[in-house]
Amino acid sequence: MTHSISWFEIPTNDLARAQQFYETILGLELIPMDMPGIQMRMFPVPDQTYISGALSYAPDFYQPQSNGTLVYLNANPDVQHILDRVEAAGGKIIVPKTEISPDIGFMAVIYDTEGNRVAFHSVPVG
């Protein structure tokens, strides 16, 4: 086992709204990946050996929440670049860019358009 995480799903109430939010703040295009009973928009990765996840719409399975497991998304090279787009895209910053340590880098926490609490991390530059 190389990584402790292999996949994550961020629940949505409105998949199109959530997709627009994440594509706007992260500057990327999510990949449709629908299956019976669940609609997903996957975060792109170069190949399947990378850890990834998706926005998911499956209202009978789970709902967005503000106090559950906290997922940290990659915000390299600087978490502030993501935060600068959050509020205009409909989210809310709840922990601004904060240094964890000089060796570990910076983190921030937001509420997305669905009410999920999501974090971001960027490694130190240099």
Side-chain angles (χ1 to χ4, degrees):
M1 184 168 86
T2 306
H3 304 282
S4 58
I5 305 282
S6 63
W7 181 257
F8 64 87
E9 294 177 9
I10 300 173
T12 69
N13 288 319
D14 183 327
L15 186 58
R17 175 180 63 203
Q19 179 177 354
Q20 179 65 39
F21 175 76
Y22 283 95
E23 286 180 344
T24 298
I25 68 168
L26 296 173
L28 51 76
E29 188 174 326
L30 298 175
I31 302 161
M33 192 175 88
D34 298 337
M35 295 174 273
I38 189 167
Q39 297 173 346
M40 296 182 163
R41 299 298 177 264
M42 187 176 92
F43 292 89
V45 290
D47 63 58
Q48 294 306 309
T49 63
Y50 286 75
I51 297 167
S52 190
L55 302 176
S56 302
Y57 179 73
D60 294 334
F61 189 64
Y62 46 42
Q63 294 291 314
Q65 59 179 330
S66 62
N67 60 355
T69 302
L70 187 58
V71 173
Y72 280 76
L73 299 177
N74 184 338
N76 289 326
D78 185 347
V79 71
Q80 190 60 50
H81 297 311
I82 305 297
L83 295 178
D84 289 344
R85 297 187 286 263
V86 166
E87 291 180 348
K92 180 180 178 184
I93 298 167
I94 55 176
V95 176
K97 180 179 178 180
T98 303
E99 185 176 48
I100 302 165
S101 77
D103 294 335
I104 297 173
F106 295 88
M107 56 80 65
V109 183
I110 67 162
Y111 285 129
D112 69 9
T113 55
E114 309 308 291
N116 293 301
R117 186 179 56 142
V118 178
F120 295 91
H121 173 253
S122 58
V123 297
V125 177

